[in-house]
Amino acid sequence: MLARCSFTRMSRFRLNGRLAIGLITIGLIGCQGSTDTAAQTTIHAEKSGKRLKVGVSIPAADHGWTAGLGYWARESAKQYPEIDWTIQDAKNPDEQINSLENMKSDGVDAMVIVPTESAAITPIAEKLHKAGMLIVDVSAGFSKPVADVFIEGDNVAFGRKSAEFIAQRLKGSGKIAVLEGIPCTVNTDRVNAAKEVFKAYPGIQIVAEGPGLWNREKAETVMQNMLIANPHIDAIWAADDDMALGVESALKSAGRDKNIWIIGGGGMKDIVKRVMDKDPLFPADITYPPSIIGFGIQAAAGMLHGDKKITKQFIPQHVVIDLDQVTPENAKDFYFPDSIY
């Protein structure tokens, strides 16, 4: 059996997305001699004489990916019925800060946090951690190391792989537009990595750039303005699939949905299906499944299972999950029609 101690104190632990959930489960719990997390956590709760409480704080479901985040948070929490879970979403940083303060007042033992904005949520996360709270950070990192565990998809790979696809498909020459998300580590890593690739191709010009804020309607408006200002664009790099659909709406409204294409990311089932069907608007996609929240919930449950001070010695502080490029050749492997996202 692969045990938790086999990756002692690695500062950065890279997993393939398809293997991650099993390895994290074994890695966090395995050295106890069993992988039955529910049974072990029940024993801990009985010995302590109280039920464990965990708070989960995520962005509001204002687009497909965050809706998927909420769905997978609830599904993952069901695997640990012996723990009392509080799952709350927030529309903005102020709302999330209030939510985190309230959960602290309710006496939670740990928090799993997907920050609405990295910089804005870092101070409250640091305050909670200094007060003795176990903090698991998922997807969007804090602006400095605060969490006991940080679990993220490889957003640098996201930016690099999507940009390389564009550069190669354009044969190193063309005009592109870039749509960014909300300011956070996810957006920064994706955009900076993509731009590094584009710099290596002098024939590629970024003629327009703007914030779509992970939102379909906002991305549509931003793209409409880009199209007005730029009579010729060959391809659009969008940092997220929801924004990619907003881009598509703008292109169709302007009658410019021919001889142009879009690369988004996230692995939305609607986009993956169109890649599989060889839709010319969507030749490829990059995965970033919202089920990543389940890894954070596993981590919190696993660390609370035993003495968290001891457990922290045997787990990676930073888990990076590899992302896959979806093409017509492999899209069937990433298409889940019954998924919420």
Side-chain angles (χ1 to χ4, degrees):
M1 178 180 68
L2 175 64
R4 179 179 58 207
C5 14
S6 63
F7 41 51
T8 301
R9 300 307 292 164
M10 293 176 67
S11 61
R12 186 176 173 91
F13 182 63
R14 186 174 301 275
L15 299 172
N16 179 281
R18 299 181 193 179
L19 299 178
I21 195 161
L23 286 176
I24 290 176
T25 301
I26 296 170
L28 292 175
I29 315 298
C31 281
Q32 303 296 330
S34 168
T35 57
D36 185 352
T37 58
Q40 291 180 57
T41 309
T42 300
I43 292 170
H44 175 265
E46 289 172 353
K47 286 182 177 179
S48 67
K50 72 179 186 72
R51 287 180 63 84
L52 296 168
K53 296 181 179 180
V54 179
V56 181
S57 178
I58 58 178
D62 57 2
H63 64 288
W65 194 86
T66 49
L69 201 64
Y71 170 82
W72 283 108
R74 292 186 294 273
E75 289 299 304
S76 300
K78 291 177 184 177
Q79 307 305 309
Y80 305 93
E82 69 289 342
I83 296 177
D84 292 332
W85 298 89
T86 300
I87 302 173
Q88 297 182 356
D89 61 19
K91 296 178 182 177
N92 53 55
D94 288 340
E95 195 171 289
Q96 188 168 33
I97 290 168
N98 289 335
S99 175
L100 291 169
E101 291 278 18
N102 290 336
M103 284 193 282
K104 178 180 182 295
S105 298
D106 288 340
V108 299
D109 299 286
M111 289 188 184
V112 180
I113 304 172
V114 180
T116 49
E117 291 184 18
S118 296
I121 302 303
T122 298
I124 180 63
E126 185 173 28
K127 175 184 174 182
L128 295 171
H129 192 255
K130 285 181 177 178
M133 187 76 61
L134 172 67
I135 303 292
V136 178
D137 179 16
V138 178
S139 188
F142 300 126
S143 56
K144 62 180 178 179
V146 171
D148 296 281
V149 183
F150 175 33
I151 301 169
E152 64 170 338
D154 192 341
N155 288 294
V156 172
F158 182 112
R160 184 186 70 251
K161 290 179 180 182
S162 53
E164 286 175 347
F165 183 91
I166 288 177
Q168 292 168 14
R169 199 163 194 262
L170 290 176
K171 298 181 179 178
S173 180
K175 295 182 178 182
I176 65 172
V178 170
L179 270 82
E180 298 192 23
I182 288 174
C184 64
T185 58
V186 172
N187 181 70
T188 300
D189 286 348
R190 291 180 184 183
V191 174
N192 288 349
K195 286 183 175 179
E196 281 300 310
V197 171
F198 294 139
K199 283 180 184 177
Y201 294 87
I204 291 181
Q205 293 178 265
I206 299 176
V207 296
E209 185 173 358
L213 305 180
W214 312 130
N215 182 275
R216 190 177 305 189
E217 289 73 24
K218 175 64 175 177
E220 181 176 0
T221 300
V222 170
M223 193 69 225
Q224 286 171 344
N225 294 331
M226 289 179 175
L227 292 172
I228 292 170
N230 297 277
H232 180 77
I233 297 175
D234 295 296
I236 298 100
W237 182 93
D240 153 270
D241 280 340
D242 282 281
M243 293 193 299
L245 290 176
V247 168
E248 179 189 21
S249 296
L251 292 174
K252 289 186 174 179
S253 295
R256 290 176 61 177
D257 56 324
K258 308 298 181 186
N259 301 315
I260 192 170
W261 41 276
I262 311 160
I263 297 295
M268 180 189 290
K269 65 180 180 181
D270 296 338
I271 300 295
V272 173
K273 180 65 164 59
R274 294 175 69 174
V275 172
M276 187 164 59
D277 293 341
K278 299 184 179 180
D279 186 323
L281 270 176
F282 294 97
D285 198 43
I286 303 292
T287 61
Y288 198 96
S291 56
I292 190 172
I293 188 68
F295 305 170
I297 285 173
Q298 285 185 342
M303 293 179 75
L304 289 177
H305 153 72
D307 185 331
K308 63 185 179 184
K309 292 180 180 178
I310 296 175
T311 308
K312 285 167 60 177
Q313 299 176 29
F314 301 105
I315 66 170
Q317 292 176 303
H318 188 183
V319 178
V320 182
I321 301 167
D322 196 15
L323 306 179
D324 296 290
Q325 186 169 78
V326 182
T327 64
E329 290 72 30
N330 68 359
K332 66 180 185 301
D333 297 329
F334 302 97
Y335 180 55
F336 305 102
D338 297 329
S339 170
I340 194 171
Y341 175 72

